[in-house]
Amino acid sequence: MKSFLSILDCTSEELNELLALSANLKALYKNAKRDVCLTGKVLVMLFEKASLRTRVSFQVAMNDLGGTAIYLKPEDIGIIGQREPAKDMARVFARYVDGIMARTFSHETIVELDRWANVPVVNALSDWSHPCQAMADLLTIQEHCSQLNGLKLAYIGDGNNVARSLAFACAKFGMQFVCASPKNYELDSKSLNTANSILSGCALQTNDPVQAVKDAQVVYTDTWVSMGQEAEKERRIKDFQGFAVDESLLANASKNTKIMHCLPAYRGYEISNGVMESENSIVFDQAENRLHFQRALLKYLMG
Ligand code: CP
Ligand code: NVA
């Protein structure tokens, strides 16, 4: 495994190893011990879009492992390819640093960086996927539900980058994934078919959130307006009415259903304040696990 661009590029064995390594390193660091396997190594972090969790957790993870990280903000790099082609940037970076992580609009930009860089490349979110998020999410579910295999995750909202990576990750770990979205915002059928080709019948799409949350151990949501879609905000807010993860929807779910959100959350839209702050909400454990997964990923790829 040279890079981490998509859940689909990894075998189930590799993903299992990454989860196990995340748990081991989490325990190590909780015990105030360190593993400085990346001493002297440098990661460059390219951001075409804003970030709080991804940026800070990657930077802390590099520091934890003895390395350093360089942050290039949207104003520094613009849209990759506009000032100079991704293939030129990739070859320049590969001569300075030991790894590249990138958050881009187009997924193809990350693929192109990886094609030309002879160092590992990590997808830190593209319009197509968010694999680091999905892996941190599975680590969190495993901790709270003590298993993954056989669980049902109901994703309520936009069939977007986060939903797609979750569908693939659920398929790889034997989970059922149900996406409930308004008409025209469903997860594309190619992605659903891909998940179902990994694990037959595991991924379903519906327009009925009530049906989706029934018997789900996990209910998950994300913003209705992803970065880059700001111009569609008004229309999206109208179109997503009835798809909020709130008290009335959760009246149809089991009492113990865990609530997840990749954050940032927009209270009063995709999730109610009460649900965000409820006992069943595990959103901050989920955010913490971004650090633990990414520490493992960096060790795996660059160590
Ligand atoms: N969930 C997530 O990726 O958060 P940031 O956009 O803040 O990095
Ligand atoms: N779907 C959201 C996720 C943010 C972490 C976006 O792409 O903006």
Side-chain angles (χ1 to χ4, degrees), residues 97-109:
V97 300
D98 307 285
I100 300 171
M101 74 88 110
R103 168 169 287 195
T104 62
F105 286 94
S106 159
H107 186 72
E108 185 49 39
T109 303

PDB file of all heavy atoms in Angstrom, residues 97-109:
ATOM      1  N   VAL A  97       9.959  16.360   0.623  1.00  0.00           N
ATOM      2  CA  VAL A  97       9.247  15.806   1.784  1.00  0.00           C
ATOM      3  C   VAL A  97       9.044  14.293   1.635  1.00  0.00           C
ATOM      4  O   VAL A  97       9.308  13.719   0.566  1.00  0.00           O
ATOM      5  CB  VAL A  97       7.867  16.493   1.989  1.00  0.00           C
ATOM      6  CG1 VAL A  97       8.020  17.980   2.209  1.00  0.00           C
ATOM      7  CG2 VAL A  97       6.927  16.204   0.826  1.00  0.00           C
ATOM      8  N   ASP A  98       8.562  13.674   2.704  1.00  0.00           N
ATOM      9  CA  ASP A  98       8.410  12.214   2.734  1.00  0.00           C
ATOM     10  C   ASP A  98       6.962  11.767   2.540  1.00  0.00           C
ATOM     11  O   ASP A  98       6.680  10.573   2.464  1.00  0.00           O
ATOM     12  CB  ASP A  98       8.929  11.687   4.078  1.00  0.00           C
ATOM     13  CG  ASP A  98      10.339  12.194   4.341  1.00  0.00           C
ATOM     14  OD1 ASP A  98      11.271  11.675   3.700  1.00  0.00           O
ATOM     15  OD2 ASP A  98      10.515  13.160   5.125  1.00  0.00           O
ATOM     16  N   GLY A  99       6.045  12.724   2.509  1.00  0.00           N
ATOM     17  CA  GLY A  99       4.641  12.377   2.295  1.00  0.00           C
ATOM     18  C   GLY A  99       3.839  13.621   1.959  1.00  0.00           C
ATOM     19  O   GLY A  99       4.224  14.742   2.314  1.00  0.00           O
ATOM     20  N   ILE A 100       2.741  13.400   1.226  1.00  0.00           N
ATOM     21  CA  ILE A 100       1.869  14.500   0.821  1.00  0.00           C
ATOM     22  C   ILE A 100       0.461  14.170   1.271  1.00  0.00           C
ATOM     23  O   ILE A 100       0.000  13.050   1.047  1.00  0.00           O
ATOM     24  CB  ILE A 100       1.875  14.655  -0.730  1.00  0.00           C
ATOM     25  CG1 ILE A 100       3.288  14.937  -1.252  1.00  0.00           C
ATOM     26  CG2 ILE A 100       0.886  15.739  -1.189  1.00  0.00           C
ATOM     27  CD1 ILE A 100       3.415  14.884  -2.778  1.00  0.00           C
ATOM     28  N   MET A 101      -0.225  15.104   1.911  1.00  0.00           N
ATOM     29  CA  MET A 101      -1.665  14.922   2.111  1.00  0.00           C
ATOM     30  C   MET A 101      -2.368  16.092   1.456  1.00  0.00           C
ATOM     31  O   MET A 101      -1.838  17.203   1.408  1.00  0.00           O
ATOM     32  CB  MET A 101      -2.023  14.739   3.586  1.00  0.00           C
ATOM     33  CG  MET A 101      -1.961  15.955   4.422  1.00  0.00           C
ATOM     34  SD  MET A 101      -3.520  16.799   4.371  1.00  0.00           S
ATOM     35  CE  MET A 101      -4.045  16.481   6.019  1.00  0.00           C
ATOM     36  N   ALA A 102      -3.540  15.828   0.899  1.00  0.00           N
ATOM     37  CA  ALA A 102      -4.222  16.880   0.149  1.00  0.00           C
ATOM     38  C   ALA A 102      -5.718  16.835   0.355  1.00  0.00           C
ATOM     39  O   ALA A 102      -6.324  15.763   0.394  1.00  0.00           O
ATOM     40  CB  ALA A 102      -3.899  16.745  -1.345  1.00  0.00           C
ATOM     41  N   ARG A 103      -6.302  18.025   0.528  1.00  0.00           N
ATOM     42  CA  ARG A 103      -7.757  18.203   0.550  1.00  0.00           C
ATOM     43  C   ARG A 103      -8.092  19.043  -0.684  1.00  0.00           C
ATOM     44  O   ARG A 103      -7.667  20.201  -0.775  1.00  0.00           O
ATOM     45  CB  ARG A 103      -8.199  18.904   1.837  1.00  0.00           C
ATOM     46  CG  ARG A 103      -9.634  19.378   1.777  1.00  0.00           C
ATOM     47  CD  ARG A 103     -10.176  19.832   3.110  1.00  0.00           C
ATOM     48  NE  ARG A 103     -10.425  18.695   3.978  1.00  0.00           N
ATOM     49  CZ  ARG A 103     -11.154  18.747   5.096  1.00  0.00           C
ATOM     50  NH1 ARG A 103     -11.695  19.887   5.471  1.00  0.00           N
ATOM     51  NH2 ARG A 103     -11.329  17.674   5.835  1.00  0.00           N
ATOM     52  N   THR A 104      -8.828  18.462  -1.606  1.00  0.00           N
ATOM     53  CA  THR A 104      -9.061  19.107  -2.899  1.00  0.00           C
ATOM     54  C   THR A 104     -10.552  19.123  -3.257  1.00  0.00           C
ATOM     55  O   THR A 104     -11.340  18.392  -2.668  1.00  0.00           O
ATOM     56  CB  THR A 104      -8.329  18.336  -4.013  1.00  0.00           C
ATOM     57  OG1 THR A 104      -8.867  17.014  -4.060  1.00  0.00           O
ATOM     58  CG2 THR A 104      -6.831  18.273  -3.768  1.00  0.00           C
ATOM     59  N   PHE A 105     -10.878  19.931  -4.217  1.00  0.00           N
ATOM     60  CA  PHE A 105     -12.229  19.845  -4.784  1.00  0.00           C
ATOM     61  C   PHE A 105     -12.296  18.573  -5.623  1.00  0.00           C
ATOM     62  O   PHE A 105     -13.011  17.642  -5.301  1.00  0.00           O
ATOM     63  CB  PHE A 105     -12.549  21.111  -5.600  1.00  0.00           C
ATOM     64  CG  PHE A 105     -12.814  22.288  -4.692  1.00  0.00           C
ATOM     65  CD1 PHE A 105     -11.806  23.178  -4.355  1.00  0.00           C
ATOM     66  CD2 PHE A 105     -14.072  22.467  -4.134  1.00  0.00           C
ATOM     67  CE1 PHE A 105     -12.045  24.235  -3.489  1.00  0.00           C
ATOM     68  CE2 PHE A 105     -14.327  23.521  -3.264  1.00  0.00           C
ATOM     69  CZ  PHE A 105     -13.303  24.400  -2.950  1.00  0.00           C
ATOM     70  N   SER A 106     -11.518  18.497  -6.685  1.00  0.00           N
ATOM     71  CA  SER A 106     -11.612  17.354  -7.596  1.00  0.00           C
ATOM     72  C   SER A 106     -10.808  16.160  -7.066  1.00  0.00           C
ATOM     73  O   SER A 106      -9.630  16.300  -6.708  1.00  0.00           O
ATOM     74  CB  SER A 106     -11.071  17.784  -8.960  1.00  0.00           C
ATOM     75  OG  SER A 106     -10.691  16.652  -9.693  1.00  0.00           O
ATOM     76  N   HIS A 107     -11.431  14.999  -7.045  1.00  0.00           N
ATOM     77  CA  HIS A 107     -10.726  13.792  -6.613  1.00  0.00           C
ATOM     78  C   HIS A 107      -9.576  13.472  -7.574  1.00  0.00           C
ATOM     79  O   HIS A 107      -8.519  12.964  -7.160  1.00  0.00           O
ATOM     80  CB  HIS A 107     -11.709  12.614  -6.554  1.00  0.00           C
ATOM     81  CG  HIS A 107     -11.103  11.374  -5.974  1.00  0.00           C
ATOM     82  ND1 HIS A 107     -10.807  11.245  -4.634  1.00  0.00           N
ATOM     83  CD2 HIS A 107     -10.696  10.216  -6.562  1.00  0.00           C
ATOM     84  CE1 HIS A 107     -10.256  10.062  -4.411  1.00  0.00           C
ATOM     85  NE2 HIS A 107     -10.180   9.424  -5.568  1.00  0.00           N
ATOM     86  N   GLU A 108      -9.779  13.786  -8.835  1.00  0.00           N
ATOM     87  CA  GLU A 108      -8.758  13.494  -9.857  1.00  0.00           C
ATOM     88  C   GLU A 108      -7.428  14.194  -9.522  1.00  0.00           C
ATOM     89  O   GLU A 108      -6.351  13.673  -9.835  1.00  0.00           O
ATOM     90  CB  GLU A 108      -9.301  13.922 -11.232  1.00  0.00           C
ATOM     91  CG  GLU A 108      -8.428  13.592 -12.431  1.00  0.00           C
ATOM     92  CD  GLU A 108      -7.916  12.136 -12.475  1.00  0.00           C
ATOM     93  OE1 GLU A 108      -8.679  11.208 -12.117  1.00  0.00           O
ATOM     94  OE2 GLU A 108      -6.748  11.953 -12.862  1.00  0.00           O
ATOM     95  N   THR A 109      -7.492  15.353  -8.847  1.00  0.00           N
ATOM     96  CA  THR A 109      -6.260  16.059  -8.461  1.00  0.00           C
ATOM     97  C   THR A 109      -5.417  15.182  -7.535  1.00  0.00           C
ATOM     98  O   THR A 109      -4.187  15.113  -7.676  1.00  0.00           O
ATOM     99  CB  THR A 109      -6.609  17.391  -7.739  1.00  0.00           C
ATOM    100  OG1 THR A 109      -7.425  18.167  -8.606  1.00  0.00           O
ATOM    101  CG2 THR A 109      -5.367  18.174  -7.366  1.00  0.00           C
TER     102      THR A 109
END
